Amino acid sequence: QQQQQQQQQQESSVSDHFDAVAVCNGHYSEPFLPELEGSEIFSGVVIHSHNYRSPQQFSGRNVLVVGASASGEDISREVGAVANQVFLSARSWQNPEWGHPNAPPFGEKRNIHRRPTIARFLGHDSVQFDDGRVAEKLDAVIYCTGYRYHFPFLQTSGVVDVEDNAIFPLYKHMLPPSMPSIAFIGIPAKIVPFPQFEIQARYAAKVWAGEIQLPSEQKMLEEVTAEWERKKELGVPLKYFHVQGGDQFEYNDELLSLCNADPLPEWRMYMFSQCGQNKRKFPESYRDTPLPTIEDYEQMLARARLAAAR
């Protein structure tokens, strides 16, 4: 039956030639699961946040949540509202104070406990953390550990390679130097996505239209390598090579400048900063807080500039 399906797909497939290809499949579809010592003997429920839909299946249970970025923080709170105990394990925290060894439990029922990274699984229902503490009688593990870049439809060997969740080499995090007729749109992480996607698409379109002259293949490769070496010296792991955070605005403005376009309005950067601070300061309620308008942000920015000038 499988051979028959493959034959039908081959018979229905169509080959064509294109001058350029934009790869826009995103990077939130292929879950990343870490390899942890002893995890194969855990007998409880194991899921990734990609497949999480409702906290109800964890009602009255003891749950381990691995990873404390956006998904981990949100899911631990949802699950904590119905679970018995929740252990949130992470390498780092959005607010450094949250990772203090004596940090109190948090959440609606004050039953969510922050823990460092996992050292190993112990038996079928327990884990030991790097600080020696142990969580026992666990019923479930929810991995909030992000996603892998995955391009099953592309034969990328010799053009780009995916290693430790970094795509190398990509000029401007978009174009393979040896084949710039392919553009990977939307690779950077921890960014405001849609404005950047549009900027990247504009840049790629102008490159393909011949309105932007790219450097030589060697020069593009040197720029990518220099960026990696710079981040390596700063201690940035390879898997975070495409993480931009606050650096996204300089990157966006650079692409816009190359497109001979105006930079994004400055209030966008201020909004990004303010939203981040609000989330860290009010993790329980930030979603329910009305956001300021664009005019509000422009006024706040003007006041901040005036205060800085004094």
Side-chain angles (χ1 to χ4, degrees):
Q1 185 179 2
Q2 186 176 2
Q3 290 180 344
Q4 184 179 2
Q5 289 176 344
Q6 290 176 346
Q7 184 176 354
Q8 290 175 348
Q9 289 175 353
Q10 290 174 355
E11 291 175 352
S12 63
S13 65
V14 176
S15 297
D16 210 335
H17 295 274
F18 298 90
D19 297 312
V21 174
V23 180
C24 311
N25 66 316
H27 48 87
Y28 295 106
S29 61
E30 187 70 16
F32 169 74
L33 293 172
E35 295 182 3
L36 298 172
E37 180 183 339
S39 60
E40 69 280 357
I41 60 177
F42 181 73
S43 61
V45 173
V46 177
I47 67 168
H48 189 275
S49 58
H50 181 70
N51 304 109
Y52 172 86
R53 295 295 180 270
S54 167
Q56 297 310 316
Q57 72 178 103
F58 306 104
S59 180
R61 304 294 183 87
N62 296 320
V63 182
L64 170 65
V65 179
V66 184
S69 192
S71 295
E73 289 288 345
D74 288 348
I75 289 175
S76 65
R77 284 176 168 81
E78 277 199 0
V79 170
V82 299
N84 180 40
Q85 297 291 330
V86 175
F87 297 90
L88 180 59
S89 168
R91 179 176 289 105
S92 61
W93 308 97
Q94 296 181 35
N95 184 335
E97 295 179 1
W98 296 346
H100 193 278
N102 296 324
F106 68 99
E108 183 180 320
K109 296 165 57 177
R110 294 294 183 264
N111 61 341
I112 308 174
H113 311 270
R114 296 188 187 272
R115 294 290 186 267
T117 50
I118 297 169
R120 61 189 60 83
F121 279 76
L122 302 173
H124 65 92
D125 66 353
S126 303
V127 297
Q128 183 178 38
F129 301 100
D130 282 340
D131 63 359
R133 286 183 288 182
V134 174
E136 301 178 316
K137 297 181 180 181
L138 295 171
D139 300 295
V141 177
I142 305 174
Y143 286 101
C144 301
T145 45
Y147 297 83
R148 298 190 304 117
Y149 294 108
H150 189 54
F151 311 102
F153 50 86
L154 283 181
Q155 296 180 359
T156 58
S157 180
V159 179
V160 293
D161 293 307
V162 181
E163 179 184 348
D164 196 16
N165 220 36
I167 307 171
F168 190 89
L170 284 183
Y171 179 67
K172 306 299 184 191
H173 295 266
M174 291 175 57
L175 305 174
S178 64
M179 194 179 292
S181 57
I182 297 178
F184 291 80
I185 306 297
I187 295 301
K190 294 192 183 297
I191 50 106
V192 182
F194 297 110
Q196 187 175 99
F197 296 168
E198 180 183 351
I199 293 168
Q200 289 182 320
R202 290 171 67 181
Y203 176 78
K206 284 184 174 291
V207 167
W208 294 335
E211 296 178 25
I212 294 177
Q213 187 68 39
L214 292 174
S216 67
E217 178 182 339
Q218 182 61 32
K219 291 290 187 183
M220 288 191 284
L221 184 58
E222 288 175 358
E223 181 174 314
V224 178
T225 303
E227 181 181 0
W228 164 236
E229 291 297 334
R230 186 169 62 252
K231 290 183 175 180
K232 186 178 179 180
E233 290 178 2
L234 293 172
V236 177
L238 181 60
K239 64 181 179 180
Y240 297 144
F241 179 64
H242 300 295
V243 173
Q244 292 186 341
D247 294 337
Q248 65 183 292
F249 300 102
E250 182 179 349
Y251 170 82
N252 292 343
D253 287 348
E254 179 190 10
L255 292 186
L256 286 168
S257 176
L258 292 169
C259 292
N260 197 28
D262 293 332
L264 291 174
E266 198 171 354
W267 61 261
R268 285 185 178 273
M269 185 189 309
Y270 194 71
M271 175 187 284
F272 177 80
S273 173
Q274 291 295 306
C275 286
Q277 291 179 32
N278 192 46
K279 182 177 180 179
R280 290 186 290 274
K281 190 174 181 180
F282 306 106
E284 309 283 353
S285 59
Y286 75 95
R287 291 184 183 278
D288 303 319
T289 304
L291 290 174
T293 65
I294 293 175
E295 290 75 17
D296 291 334
Y297 278 117
E298 289 176 335
Q299 291 175 8
M300 285 189 283
L301 182 60
R303 288 196 293 270
R305 282 177 179 163
L306 184 61
R310 289 175 178 171

